[in-house]
């Protein structure tokens, strides 16, 4: 497992306060539905890469009717939280939460109909290897549907982006849309589609910054601690400019493995 825990209980509690129960990425259930727009999920076997505290996997089972979901993550606290959520929702027969090592997916070839991921591949530096692994575990005709945080270009990050990434202090490894597309196509995927979500998240992130630093701040200090909230205000203050410039550009990525 990953030695450094980035998503501990405190961060999970804060992110869920911001983004909703079981969500460690923006947009909640509506954004997951948009990622899955036009993708067949009913009666399909799904792998959720970087499941976090589990709400996406639960939505895939409860709302979309997936037949089975293997939800993997590399950090123990999120897996514990996800497991609790799966049990509380009575979904243990359909959703299995697995703590895995970073790297090759520990699954046989052609096991899944759908590879799903929400804002987790940013933590995986080797997009080319990830694309090959996603292709390998998919059945012929299977789909890839993900959201991820991208950088708009392949040059050195701007000084604003460097400042933002430093403030995050996470192991973010952002790739450009061009690199992503090439990695998917080289792995064998067809119908590769990238949808830029920058204008949506630019607006949402500004509201998130207002929420963090507005009149709820003292309540947030009490709930999550002053240090954590001040840190997040700093992160969001540095994220908003790189969203506004378009350099930080979350995308939806969809692709198909040929029959
Ligand atoms: C921003 S959170 C998103 C969680 C969830 N998908 C959601 O939208 O709520 C990113 C997650 O990716 C996980 N992660 C990081 N590196 C990973 C890897 N190599 N394989 C799978 N998951 C990973 C983290 O532990 C974290 O739970």
């Amino acid at each position: 497992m990953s030695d450094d825990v980035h998503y501990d209980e405190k961060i999970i509690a804060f992110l869920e306060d911001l983004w909703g129960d079981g969500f460690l990425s923006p947009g909640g259930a509506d954004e997951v539905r948009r990622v899955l727009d036009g993708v067949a999920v009913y009666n399909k076997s799904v792998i959720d890469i970087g499941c976090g505290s589990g709400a996406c996997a639960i939505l895939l089972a409860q709302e979309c009717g997936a037949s089975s979901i293997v939800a993997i993550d590399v950090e123990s606290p999120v897996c514990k939280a996800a497991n609790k959520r799966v049990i509380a929702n009575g979904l243990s027969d359909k959703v299995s939460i697995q703590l895995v090592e970073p790297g090759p997916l520990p699954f046989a070839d052609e096991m899944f109909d759908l590879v799903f991921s929400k804002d987790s591949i940013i933590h995986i530096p080797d997009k080319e290897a990830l694309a090959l692994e996603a292709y390998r575990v998919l059945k012929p005709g299977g789909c890839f549907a993900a959201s991820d945080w991208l950088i708009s270009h392949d040059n050195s990050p701007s000084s604003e982006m460097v400042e933002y990434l430093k403030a995050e202090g996470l192991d973010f490894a952002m790739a450009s849309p061009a690199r992503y597309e090439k990695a998917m196509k080289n792995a064998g995927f067809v119908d590769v589609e990238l949808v830029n979500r920058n204008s949506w998240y630019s607006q949402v992130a500004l509201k998130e910054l207002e929420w963090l630093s507005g009149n709820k701040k003292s309540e947030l200090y009490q709930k999550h601690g002053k240090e954590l909230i001040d840190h997040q205000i700093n992160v969001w203050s540095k994220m908003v400019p790189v969203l506004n410039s378009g350099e930080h550009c979350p995308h939806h990525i969809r692709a198909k493995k040929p029959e």
Side-chain angles (χ1 to χ4, degrees), residues 132-257:
L132 286 166
E133 277 298 277
Y135 190 87
R136 182 184 65 76
V137 299
L138 273 176
K139 296 177 190 172
C143 284
F144 178 94
S147 167
D148 199 21
W149 285 15
L150 274 58
I151 181 167
S152 61
H153 57 86
D154 285 308
N155 306 319
S156 303
S158 67
S159 53
E160 290 80 12
M161 185 61 115
V162 171
E163 277 298 296
Y164 160 61
L165 294 172
K166 212 167 94 191
E168 279 278 13
L170 293 169
D171 58 347
F172 279 2
M174 286 170 149
S176 69
R179 182 175 162 201
Y180 235 110
E181 189 171 356
K182 194 169 168 204
M184 298 298 287
K185 286 184 174 165
N186 283 348
F189 282 101
V190 294
D191 299 341
V192 179
E193 180 197 14
L194 280 93
V195 179
N196 193 341
R197 298 292 292 146
N198 169 273
S199 66
W200 166 75
Y201 193 48
S202 301
Q203 290 169 33
V204 170
L206 195 60
K207 287 194 189 117
E208 291 168 352
L209 178 57
E210 283 163 14
W211 176 79
L212 275 167
S213 46
N215 56 13
K216 277 204 159 188
K217 194 160 143 187
S218 55
E219 201 185 300
L220 291 171
Y221 274 171
Q222 282 210 329
K223 240 172 149 177
H224 302 289
K226 181 176 182 312
E227 199 186 329
L228 188 149
I229 295 301
D230 285 343
H231 169 70
Q232 300 300 342
I233 291 173
N234 182 42
V235 171
W236 256 255
S237 307
K238 292 185 166 141
M239 179 170 67
V240 165
V242 287
L243 281 164
N244 287 341
S245 72
E247 190 174 15
H248 179 339
C249 51
H251 271 69
H252 293 174
I253 303 112
R254 282 182 285 262
K256 272 196 188 132
K257 177 170 178 171

Side-chain angles (χ1 to χ4, degrees), residues 48-63:
D48 175 2
I49 300 176
C51 63
S53 53
C56 299
I58 285 171
L59 186 144
L60 283 157
Q62 265 177 348
E63 187 177 305

Side-chain angles (χ1 to χ4, degrees), residues 2 4-7 12 15-16 19-26 28 32 48-57 72-79 98-103 105 116-125 130 147 149 170-172:
S2 184
D4 296 330
V5 171
H6 300 103
Y7 296 87
I12 295 171
L15 294 178
E16 291 192 353
W19 287 326
D21 281 351
F23 290 105
L24 306 185
S25 66
V32 177
D48 175 2
I49 300 176
C51 63
S53 53
C56 299
I72 62 165
D73 206 288
V74 294
E75 297 200 359
S76 173
V78 293
C79 286
Q98 298 188 22
L99 183 60
V100 301
E101 295 283 351
L105 300 172
F116 170 87
S117 182
K118 178 78 172 48
D119 301 343
S120 298
I121 299 172
I122 186 170
H123 295 288
I124 303 176
L130 184 274
S147 167
W149 285 15
L170 293 169
D171 58 347
F172 279 2

